Amino acid sequence: MNAATKKDPLVPAWLRSSRMIAACSVIIGIVIWQLAYEGLARTPYFREYSINHFLASPWQVVQTFGELYRSGELFRHSYFSFLEFVYGFSLAIVVGIPIGFAMAIHRKTNYYLDPWVSCIYATPTVALAPIIMVWFGLGIFPNSLVVFLGAVFPILLNTYTGIKSVRENLVNVVRAFGGSPLQVFFKVMIPDATPAIITGLRLAVGRAVISVVVAELFGSEAGLGFMVYFYSQRFLPGPVFVGIVVLVAFGILSFLALEKLQGWLSPWYTYQLQRQIHRLETE
Amino acid sequence: MGFIKMEASASKLIVRNLRKSFRTQRSEESVQVFEGISFEVFPSEFISLVGPSGCGKTTFLRILDGLIPHDDGEILLDGKTVIKPGPDKGFVFQESSLLPWRTVLDNVILGLELQGIRGSESRKKAEWYIALVGLAGFEHHYPHELSGGMQQRVNLARALIVDPQVLLMDEPFASLDAQTREIMQAELLKMWNQTKKTVIFVTHQIEEAIFLSDRVVVFSARPARIREIVKVGIPRPRSLSVKRSKEFLDLADHVWDIIQEEVLKSMGREREEGVL
């Protein structure tokens, strides 16, 4: 069959793009959620016990969002959580990247630190959060510490792997032209390790957001995690879902921002990755 | 010492009694890579090194550059002992060794940049060498946007820009397809004619070695020694059709015979070792 006899597809091209499909998928999901709410609300069980104590419809979530926004409550909680995230994440970067570097470059440092890194990495942050509350009380500082513990290891370990897997032949190029060890470090090792380090940051974002919530569940006076906990105790699902939606949005946005940063700092890496994936798929 | 200086003015590069062994990781005993390698290279001469695979040609070339240390013997470039890599030697690597985060221009500039030379002068120089290798217009492309042959041209420009005394090339066309390789061989000869560099060219392709070189150094199997230095008397400039001349084919046959003999020898030894 040649191109001329081929029928025009029923769906126009702009509707078949990957973005449009993704958007449609989300909209369908929300519609199902709304229908499920309407359906459940009509069952005999929920006619007796009001469904509004268990589930909020998407529309109610939007309304609650507006209320919480106007009252300033949402901003207060978000700001509190955001500060915890920023402090903890920044500290994780400041500590994780240099230690990862040191462990990759200096063998003895690696011998000394490796058992500790392995142990603390294997420890669930959830288990450490309560004792940190006992030591430091409630507030932004102890919560940031929990965030730090959650985020530091992906950053540290990815920095380590990134430096360890710097390509030998590229190092040799700089050496062959008389480059000093310092030049090798700045002109090959750092640029070649950058994609791995940013991948570490992207993994750390997810863990940091979880840590924010965990820390606030154990004890806090504010924050989105606190808000979610507080309202679910009072059987008010509206604000609970608002809190979750804000957390999800924040997680996705920072993840995308880092993806952009990666594409901007190391455009060659995206290409390399695509080629590897292509090779795997064709094999 | 005065004698060495006089001698050096006649030869560009002198290799005397070079020996190298590696310590294997499993056992304490060391494996001899090569020993007693001696030869001289004249200014503007094109020399190829061939030998059975695994005979240590690449190791030898890296030692010439000073990238890895040798155990014994000496290397004199313009009468000076080679101890470390530097801008007096240009190295062209085997596979794609361009820095992927740098454009063609920035890759070519690298050699000057490492010496602390910057500014519009080095930029102009880079553009000149990029044009020399036939890539004018591709200055701002990234390596992944270039074909294998084009990448090796950049590789060559990068080595030439430091204006080295000797150009060391480690199987630069090995990963190219046959057609591209033939074109690159002819181009290399053209550039060599223009720049008059002394070239040491490692390859496993006998035809390539004979086509390009003034002399072909044939290595034996491990531990490598020089089996023979074959002089290629085919007049220059050579076109690709030279490859079908009788003189060329005879030379190729001769080199083939030596290498085949060496390969069989090393296979025999491996079999013996296997029995033990």
Side-chain angles (χ1 to χ4, degrees):
Chain A
M1 192 197 275
N2 62 38
T5 59
K6 224 175 190 173
K7 253 199 317 189
D8 277 345
L10 287 170
V11 192
W14 62 270
L15 249 176
R16 283 178 291 139
S17 74
S18 57
R19 267 160 209 261
M20 275 314 289
I21 293 172
C24 286
S25 169
V26 170
I27 290 169
I28 291 169
I30 290 173
V31 168
I32 290 175
W33 178 3
Q34 182 78 41
L35 288 177
Y37 173 84
E38 301 288 348
L40 282 172
R42 281 166 180 75
T43 55
Y45 182 84
F46 282 115
R47 235 177 253 155
E48 204 162 326
Y49 309 95
S50 167
I51 190 167
N52 287 331
H53 291 317
F54 302 94
L55 187 66
S57 72
W59 176 238
Q60 283 170 334
V61 172
V62 172
Q63 281 175 318
T64 319
F65 185 93
E67 282 163 28
L68 289 172
Y69 178 78
R70 276 191 296 276
S71 71
E73 194 180 346
L74 185 63
F75 178 78
R76 189 165 61 89
H77 290 306
S78 304
Y79 185 63
F80 191 85
S81 293
F82 184 68
L83 281 187
E84 287 170 0
F85 177 87
V86 169
Y87 291 157
F89 202 74
S90 312
L91 191 65
I93 291 173
V94 171
V95 171
I97 293 180
I99 292 184
F101 263 121
M103 284 174 70
I105 288 169
H106 196 244
R107 197 174 301 164
K108 273 237 172 90
T109 310
N110 187 23
Y111 293 158
Y112 279 117
L113 292 182
D114 185 49
W116 293 100
V117 169
S118 306
C119 282
I120 307 176
Y121 184 46
T123 313
T125 334
V126 190
L128 286 177
I131 195 72
I132 286 174
M133 301 299 146
V134 171
W135 291 340
F136 299 104
L138 305 179
I140 286 190
F141 171 69
N143 287 4
S144 306
L145 212 60
V146 176
V147 175
F148 162 76
L149 281 174
V152 72
F153 291 103
I155 298 175
L156 191 155
L157 293 171
N158 271 280
T159 306
Y160 174 82
T161 331
I163 292 287
K164 274 287 176 196
S165 50
V166 164
R167 282 161 281 185
E168 184 82 36
N169 62 334
L170 299 184
V171 170
N172 272 335
V173 167
V174 171
R175 285 189 57 216
F177 286 100
S180 65
L182 214 63
Q183 284 174 321
V184 168
F185 185 75
F186 282 111
K187 294 194 191 292
V188 181
M189 296 183 102
I190 288 191
D192 208 20
T194 300
I197 295 172
I198 296 176
T199 303
L201 296 182
R202 287 168 68 178
L203 294 174
V205 163
R207 288 179 61 118
V209 171
I210 293 172
S211 300
V212 164
V213 176
V214 165
E216 286 169 359
L217 288 184
F218 277 106
S220 189
E221 295 143 329
L224 289 167
F226 168 79
M227 190 178 100
V228 166
Y229 182 69
F230 181 87
Y231 284 107
S232 55
Q233 293 277 298
R234 279 152 192 79
F235 288 96
L236 289 169
V240 172
F241 280 108
V242 169
I244 292 171
V245 166
V246 171
L247 284 167
V248 167
F250 178 76
I252 291 176
L253 284 180
S254 12
F255 195 81
L256 288 179
L258 283 165
E259 194 179 7
K260 273 269 178 295
L261 183 74
Q262 195 164 36
W264 181 62
L265 280 179
S266 322
W268 54 274
Y269 178 72
T270 322
Y271 168 77
Q272 221 167 47
L273 212 65
Q274 279 166 357
R275 201 168 50 171
Q276 270 165 16
I277 292 167
H278 177 74
R279 201 178 300 145
L280 285 178
E281 278 172 352
T282 48
E283 257 170 24
Chain B
M1 285 312 265
F3 281 108
I4 292 174
K5 280 228 172 82
M6 278 177 64
E7 203 177 35
S9 62
S11 304
K12 192 82 191 167
L13 181 77
I14 303 174
V15 179
R16 261 202 220 110
N17 244 327
L18 213 62
R19 187 173 67 83
K20 174 73 183 174
S21 52
F22 276 129
R23 194 158 296 137
T24 50
Q25 279 188 332
R26 274 178 302 169
S27 58
E28 279 301 295
E29 69 182 294
S30 59
V31 175
Q32 198 87 283
V33 185
F34 51 76
E35 54 185 353
I37 305 278
S38 303
F39 64 89
E40 295 185 12
V41 183
F42 306 116
S44 299
E45 197 178 14
F46 201 121
I47 295 268
S48 284
L49 307 181
V50 295
S53 37
C55 76
K57 299 174 296 232
T58 295
T59 312
F60 179 74
L61 203 68
R62 290 189 172 197
I63 289 173
L64 282 189
D65 190 51
L67 264 174
I68 24 182
H70 54 274
D71 299 338
D72 228 348
E74 63 178 340
I75 307 161
L76 295 172
L77 177 61
D78 283 327
K80 281 174 291 194
T81 310
V82 171
I83 19 175
K84 59 173 174 40
D88 51 344
K89 289 150 280 169
F91 205 105
V92 180
F93 285 85
Q94 189 172 356
E95 74 269 57
S96 140
S97 63
L98 300 174
L99 303 180
W101 47 86
R102 284 174 173 241
T103 59
V104 168
L105 188 75
D106 289 337
N107 262 296
V108 173
I109 276 179
L110 180 77
L112 296 176
E113 189 185 307
L114 291 172
Q115 295 174 59
I117 305 168
R118 281 167 197 282
S120 61
E121 192 89 349
S122 62
R123 213 187 133 89
K124 251 189 222 127
K125 220 169 158 186
E127 276 164 2
W128 191 86
Y129 278 102
I130 291 168
L132 177 76
V133 298
L135 282 182
F138 288 93
E139 287 86 353
H140 301 293
H141 282 61
Y142 281 92
H144 67 251
E145 296 166 319
L146 305 178
S147 69
M150 288 158 99
Q151 289 187 18
Q152 282 311 66
R153 286 165 193 261
V154 180
N155 223 336
L156 195 61
R158 180 175 67 183
L160 285 171
I161 197 174
V162 294
D163 198 17
Q165 293 304 309
V166 59
L167 200 58
L168 307 169
M169 307 184 73
D170 182 14
E171 302 199 29
F173 307 145
S175 56
L176 304 182
D177 61 88
Q179 285 170 1
T180 315
R181 186 182 330 183
E182 294 232 319
I183 294 166
M184 288 299 289
Q185 288 167 0
E187 292 261 306
L188 177 62
L189 279 188
K190 217 169 72 191
M191 282 173 238
W192 174 71
N193 240 332
Q194 267 175 283
T195 55
K196 288 290 170 211
K197 293 284 169 213
T198 310
V199 182
I200 315 257
F201 190 98
V202 164
T203 178
H204 60 259
Q205 268 235 321
I206 293 159
E207 282 199 342
E208 184 172 75
I210 294 171
F211 177 68
L212 295 171
S213 314
D214 296 315
R215 288 186 294 159
V216 178
V217 179
V218 188
F219 276 36
S220 72
R222 220 179 233 201
R225 293 172 157 280
I226 294 182
R227 264 296 303 261
E228 195 174 324
I229 298 181
V230 180
K231 201 165 161 44
V232 182
I234 303 170
R236 296 185 188 269
R238 297 170 189 165
S239 63
L240 284 168
S241 60
V242 154
K243 290 188 175 182
R244 281 177 289 279
S245 72
K246 178 161 188 326
E247 197 180 359
F248 186 94
L249 294 173
D250 284 346
L251 277 170
D253 273 346
H254 177 63
V255 176
W256 242 121
D257 286 342
I258 306 174
I259 289 180
Q260 201 170 22
E261 204 177 291
E262 288 300 326
V263 170
L264 289 174
K265 224 193 280 176
S266 73
M267 275 170 68
R269 201 178 50 235
E270 271 167 25
R271 204 172 298 136
E272 267 172 41
E273 280 167 1
V275 169
L276 281 170

